[in-house]
Each structure stands twice: as C-alpha cells, then as structure tokens.
Amino acid sequence: MKHMTSSYENISDTARNYSDCPRVVLPEEIFFTISIVGVLENLIVLLAVFKNKNLQAPMYFFICSLAISDMLGSLYKILENILIILRNMGYLKPRGSFETTADDIIDSLFVLSLLGSIFSLSVIAADRYITIFHALRYHSIVTMRRTVVVLAVIWTLCTASGIAMVIFSHHVLTVITFTSLFPLMLVFILCLYVHMFLLARSHTRKISTLPRTNMKGAITLTMLLGVFIFCWAPFVLHVLLMTFCPSNPYCACYMSLFQVNGMLIMCNAVIDPFIYAFRSPELRDAFKKMVFCSSTARMTDP
C-alpha cells in the first residue's frame, strides 16, 4: 500500500541511523510477473467453477470467494505499477488529485483482499465443520440460497470496511482494527479445530464412516490456512511495528524487509490455485478440459 510505503519511508529514516540493516529492494518486474500469474491462475479457477455445473456447489463457491480475494491482491500490485509508470512518463501530476484518488482506490483493493481472505477462510472452515459433523443434514443447512446470502453479506461488509480503513488509515484505531482481524480469524478457526478434535475423540466410529472427501476438505483448509498465515503474517507484523515502534532500531531492521513481505503476499495468490488443483480431482479435470478444449479449438480453426 502506498500509504504504508510512504509512511515507512518517512518514519524509518531516523531509525535506520541506529540500525545496521540495509533496506531490501526487489525489482518491480518480480512483483509484476508474480501478480500477472496470480490473476491468471485465480481467473482460471473462477472460470472452471462457473463453466462446470458439477462444480456449482456451496463449497466451490466459497473457494471462488477466496480466489477473488487472491486475485484482488494481485490486481492491486498491477494497477499500482501502471500508476507508477504513468507518473514517471509525465502523464500524471505527482501527488495530484487524480493520483491520490486512484491510489486510495488501489489501496482499497489491497485491504479488500486481506479482509476477503479472512472471511472466506472462516466460512470455508465453518463449511468443513458442518460437512464433517452434520453430514446427513449438510444439504439442508448449507443451501445455495444461504451460500449466496452469506457471500453477499461478507463482500458488502468487506467493501465498506476496506473503504473506511483506507480513509482513516492514519489513525491508530484503524491499524488496531485492521491487524486484530487476523488473529481473530485464527482464534475462530482454532476453536472449530479444537471442537472437531474433541468430537472426533467421542465419535471415532462415526467419523471413520464419513466419506473421505469430507476429511480431505478439512486437510485442504489446513493447507490454505497455513499458506495464508505464512504469507500474510509478516506484513501484519510490519504494520504493527511501524505503528507502535517506528524509531526502534530492531523494529527498523525488520521493516527493512517490507518488499520481501509484500512479495510473500503476491505469492499467496499463486500458491492457492495449486492447492485447489492438487486436492480436488474435480477441479483438476475442469482445468484439463479447459486447456485441451481451447487447444483443440485452435487446431481446428481454419
């Protein structure tokens, strides 16, 4: 986020005077390439679900929600690079009204990506919980109508919150709210996991008779959650350090890795589709059909 980047530049100059850690700078080409790949991969996931009726189920709609979140994170970086290029070429007035407005919109995409990922992972966790422990009633509990309503509410809240957080991004309360959602999601999912573990111990036979796909979905969620934490936690920590100890040399040393932490976020959007494909044979088949059908169509064109 440019607001955070510019703030980092200003507040860490003093801290770097007392720190031996040089700022790590990565080529913009790396960010741009990873972002393009992330957008294309998640777009393929969305197309695979919406073009195959067999995949149009609540579980895959929740996965689409996470794919949209990942795609927004990648799109943020692409648009930011385009904005920088236009400014460097002289088409935009530096810090002008248009650039400021465009920057706020782009930053909203970044915040929306994080919020969307948090709520999408949470709803996927709830879906897996219902699938495992209420398997017989799953289709009556998780209907398509309820799925659409839940996703509409989630994205409405995320959009409103994203805009508000960008507008009030310089307030400490906003930073606390922004960063607190990350551990709150982890606590929520951890509570579901603990409850699942306790129920599994008391219903061992019942759990063993469930379809393997139900337990496989829980493993997929664990992988997605692990990648999300690994990719986003460094950035969340950076925001906290930047807010509460900007002049501390140890904090400044960690904040010198700002661009590395940003690259990890971009990598999250690239890794998630591989997890979907690796864990879901249905999605794998849909991907293959899309690729081979498009290849066949090109070969048969006159």
Side-chain angles (χ1 to χ4, degrees), residues 270-287:
V270 176
I271 297 172
D272 280 353
F274 281 104
I275 296 177
Y276 307 147
F278 176 71
R279 300 294 301 174
S280 173
E282 295 84 1
L283 270 178
R284 270 202 309 274
D285 292 340
F287 294 156

Side-chain angles (χ1 to χ4, degrees), residues 11 171-172 175-176 237-246 255:
I11 65 180
H171 293 74
V172 175
V175 175
I176 294 175
L237 178 59
H238 172 94
V239 174
L240 289 173
L241 296 180
M242 185 182 69
T243 304
F244 296 107
C245 62
M255 288 189 292

Side-chain angles (χ1 to χ4, degrees), residues 110-120 158 161-162 165 178 181:
F110 181 85
V111 178
L112 188 58
S113 174
L114 176 58
L115 296 179
S117 297
I118 288 174
F119 284 105
S120 295
C158 288
S161 300
M165 286 183 179
F178 178 77
L181 289 173

Side-chain angles (χ1 to χ4, degrees), residues 45 47-61 64 280-287:
V45 172
L47 290 174
V49 172
F50 286 105
K51 289 183 66 175
N52 292 270
K53 292 184 177 180
N54 294 334
L55 299 179
Q56 293 177 7
M59 178 182 67
Y60 288 106
F61 273 36
C64 283
S280 173
E282 295 84 1
L283 270 178
R284 270 202 309 274
D285 292 340
F287 294 156

Side-chain angles (χ1 to χ4, degrees), residues 103-301:
D103 186 42
D104 287 340
I105 294 174
I106 294 172
D107 284 350
S108 297
L109 293 179
F110 181 85
V111 178
L112 188 58
S113 174
L114 176 58
L115 296 179
S117 297
I118 288 174
F119 284 105
S120 295
L121 285 169
S122 298
V123 77
I124 290 173
D127 178 75
R128 293 300 87 202
Y129 178 87
I130 296 172
T131 302
I132 293 173
F133 294 104
H134 301 280
L136 298 178
R137 298 174 53 214
Y138 175 80
H139 293 291
S140 62
I141 297 174
V142 187
T143 63
M144 284 300 300
R145 182 178 179 180
R146 289 176 180 173
T147 300
V148 172
V149 170
V150 167
L151 290 177
V153 171
I154 284 176
W155 281 100
T156 301
L157 288 175
C158 288
T159 302
S161 300
I163 294 172
M165 286 183 179
V166 170
I167 293 174
F168 302 103
S169 60
H170 299 292
H171 293 74
V172 175
L173 181 61
T174 304
V175 175
I176 294 175
T177 303
F178 178 77
T179 54
S180 63
L181 289 173
F182 190 84
L184 284 175
M185 177 209 65
L186 298 183
V187 170
F188 170 73
I189 295 179
L190 180 62
C191 289
L192 287 182
Y193 269 62
V194 170
H195 196 211
M196 282 192 285
F197 175 75
L198 294 176
L199 286 177
R201 290 187 62 185
S202 59
H203 299 81
T204 306
R205 291 184 180 179
K206 185 178 178 180
I207 298 297
S208 63
T209 60
L210 290 176
R212 291 182 60 187
T213 53
N214 291 358
M215 296 305 296
K216 191 175 181 181
I219 297 173
T220 302
L221 170 64
T222 304
M223 295 173 67
L224 291 171
L225 183 62
V227 171
F228 176 76
I229 294 172
F230 178 79
C231 293
W232 278 93
F235 174 79
V236 174
L237 178 59
H238 172 94
V239 174
L240 289 173
L241 296 180
M242 185 182 69
T243 304
F244 296 107
C245 62
S247 299
N248 186 288
Y250 295 103
C251 294
C253 193
Y254 178 83
M255 288 189 292
S256 66
L257 301 173
F258 177 75
Q259 291 199 1
V260 176
N261 297 337
M263 187 183 69
L264 285 176
I265 294 173
M266 301 299 107
C267 290
N268 184 35
V270 176
I271 297 172
D272 280 353
F274 281 104
I275 296 177
Y276 307 147
F278 176 71
R279 300 294 301 174
S280 173
E282 295 84 1
L283 270 178
R284 270 202 309 274
D285 292 340
F287 294 156
K288 290 178 182 177
K289 288 179 181 178
M290 289 176 62
V291 173
F292 288 131
C293 286
S294 60
S295 299
T296 305
R298 284 196 298 270
M299 292 176 64
T300 56
D301 284 341

